[in-house]
Amino acid sequence: MSKKDYYETLGVSKDASKEDIKKAYKKLAMKYHPDVSKEKNAAEKFKEISEAYAVLSDDEKRQQYNTFGSDAFSQAYSQEDIFRGSNFEDIFSDLFGGGDIFDMFFGERGGRSHARSRRSGANVRYDLEISFEDAAFGTEKTIEVEKNEKCEACDGTGSKDGEMTKCPDCNGSGVYRRTQRTPFGIFSQTTTCRSCGGEGKVMKEACHKCYGKGFIAKKKKITIKIPAGVDTGHTLRLQGEGGLGRGGPNGDMFVMIHVNPHKLFQRDDDDVYFELPISFSQAALGDEIEIPTLKGKAKLKIPPGTQSETVFRLKGEGIKNVHGYGKGDQYVKAKITTPTSLTKKEKELFEELSKSDKKDLKRGFFDKIFK
């Protein structure tokens, strides 16, 4: 069995305080939690840091780990024993609105589903595609999702008529104690009862409506208010619209925004960019052109002698900042287009113009060299 350095996993020293260990775990949990992380192997990494925290945050487990090392420690503790009894609820409540570490890694075992476990619901993610215009001006979208709702027949207990009885495995205490003798010494543990999840009570008879689960899956419509100025990657939090809480609050829904590209405009932060094709004559003589903006149409003056790639700025015609810090601008880049086909008269005019252009270019070029 490979040796594990829990201190190294969390990036803390061996004399780190409980508070330092908790801070280190919080920081890493924000990075690797599978519900929010895009890191490769995030779930595996999250389990590693959670195992390290489960051991180092418990005085008894930490002392045994420090004394006997990871190999001997693993002989006395199974993976489930390491996590059982650890308090992750406070951390998950602060960071993600709730969650159960035991169920995340091992599922509901040993009759945990037969008890009303007091924990917050899990957070969920929903990916939502919106148009460029909806992102710029804000909108409301209604989605339909399938959610677990508390069973009214048993009030979420999973037990028929909500009746519960004392857990026979822990005799109603919610915990059980185990002492194990190993070649390295005696290991003692006090862990949460697996049968009742620490509640000390189990169902008397399974509810006939939810079959002992305590919840029923239902479809629900949710209206999402999308503020003006959001962009791809922006996340909206809908409190209480996540997983069903079991005695604690429901989890939250995190809506990840994906903005579809626009056929004319490109976005950079709150600014909007647009390429405007103009002719040789418009560039040379100047013109007033009607151009599109996010709000509609606007007039743009092209001054005589405009060069290709010239950029014009329309102040305040961009996108409203999502945090309320003003509005962006619209930038229009002039692109002089070359005609692909000419009439006989147009060709004659361009040939005449070409003679004059060559003289001007030649004179200007040599003037710069011999000046």
Side-chain angles (χ1 to χ4, degrees), residues 128-174:
L128 179 65
E129 287 189 6
I130 61 174
S131 69
F132 194 94
E133 289 83 358
D134 285 343
F137 299 110
T139 187
E140 284 191 0
K141 295 288 184 181
T142 299
I143 62 173
E144 187 174 70
V145 295
E146 190 172 82
K147 295 185 59 181
N148 291 329
E149 300 286 346
K150 184 172 73 172
C151 176
E152 296 180 358
C154 65
D155 195 30
T157 62
S159 179
K160 182 181 178 182
D161 300 324
E163 293 184 7
M164 308 292 285
T165 187
K166 184 168 67 174
C167 175
D169 289 348
C170 65
N171 198 31
S173 68

Side-chain angles (χ1 to χ4, degrees), residues 257-273:
I257 299 295
H258 301 272
V259 181
N260 292 324
H262 197 278
K263 62 181 180 180
L264 294 178
F265 302 117
Q266 290 185 331
R267 178 175 178 176
D268 184 7
D269 290 332
D270 298 328
D271 296 325
V272 173
Y273 290 80

Side-chain angles (χ1 to χ4, degrees), residues 142-346:
T142 299
I143 62 173
E144 187 174 70
V145 295
E146 190 172 82
K147 295 185 59 181
N148 291 329
E149 300 286 346
K150 184 172 73 172
C151 176
E152 296 180 358
C154 65
D155 195 30
T157 62
S159 179
K160 182 181 178 182
D161 300 324
E163 293 184 7
M164 308 292 285
T165 187
K166 184 168 67 174
C167 175
D169 289 348
C170 65
N171 198 31
S173 68
V175 297
Y176 65 86
R177 294 171 177 80
R178 183 179 70 174
T179 301
Q180 183 178 2
R181 184 181 297 277
T182 74
F184 302 94
I186 298 176
F187 286 79
S188 327
Q189 300 180 65
T190 299
T191 57
T192 303
C193 176
R194 298 176 62 181
S195 298
C196 66
E199 287 297 305
K201 298 177 182 179
V202 293
M203 66 174 66
K204 206 169 185 179
E205 181 181 348
C207 173
H208 296 167
K209 189 173 182 180
C210 66
Y211 304 103
K213 294 183 294 183
F215 59 85
I216 298 174
K218 293 182 180 180
K219 287 186 176 181
K220 180 180 179 182
K221 290 184 177 181
I222 301 173
T223 299
I224 304 171
K225 292 184 178 181
I226 301 171
V230 297
D231 201 357
T232 295
H234 192 98
T235 303
L236 304 175
R237 179 182 181 183
L238 305 183
Q239 192 170 3
E241 295 294 354
L244 178 67
R246 303 294 297 275
N250 289 350
D252 300 329
M253 175 182 287
F254 290 87
V255 181
M256 184 71 70
I257 299 295
H258 301 272
V259 181
N260 292 324
H262 197 278
K263 62 181 180 180
L264 294 178
F265 302 117
Q266 290 185 331
R267 178 175 178 176
D268 184 7
D269 290 332
D270 298 328
D271 296 325
V272 173
Y273 290 80
F274 169 67
E275 288 193 352
L276 175 67
I278 61 174
S279 66
F280 282 128
S281 60
Q282 286 175 314
L285 303 175
D287 198 358
E288 186 174 78
I289 304 175
E290 193 174 64
I291 64 167
T293 70
L294 288 174
K295 294 179 182 177
K297 295 179 179 179
K299 295 286 187 178
L300 177 67
K301 287 186 177 181
I302 304 295
T306 294
Q307 302 297 305
S308 190
E309 305 295 322
T310 298
V311 177
F312 302 94
R313 176 190 177 198
L314 302 181
K315 189 175 181 181
E317 293 295 334
I319 295 173
K320 180 180 178 181
N321 184 272
V322 71
H323 301 296
Y325 303 131
K327 292 185 67 176
D329 303 321
Q330 178 169 326
Y331 292 90
V332 181
K333 181 186 287 188
K335 302 283 286 188
I336 298 176
T337 59
T338 303
T340 56
S341 61
L342 299 171
T343 64
K344 183 179 179 181
K345 185 176 180 181
E346 288 172 337

Side-chain angles (χ1 to χ4, degrees), residues 77-92:
Y77 287 86
S78 68
Q79 275 278 296
E80 294 180 38
D81 289 335
I82 289 174
F83 284 101
R84 191 171 290 108
S86 300
N87 182 17
F88 287 86
E89 284 75 12
D90 291 343
I91 295 178
F92 281 13

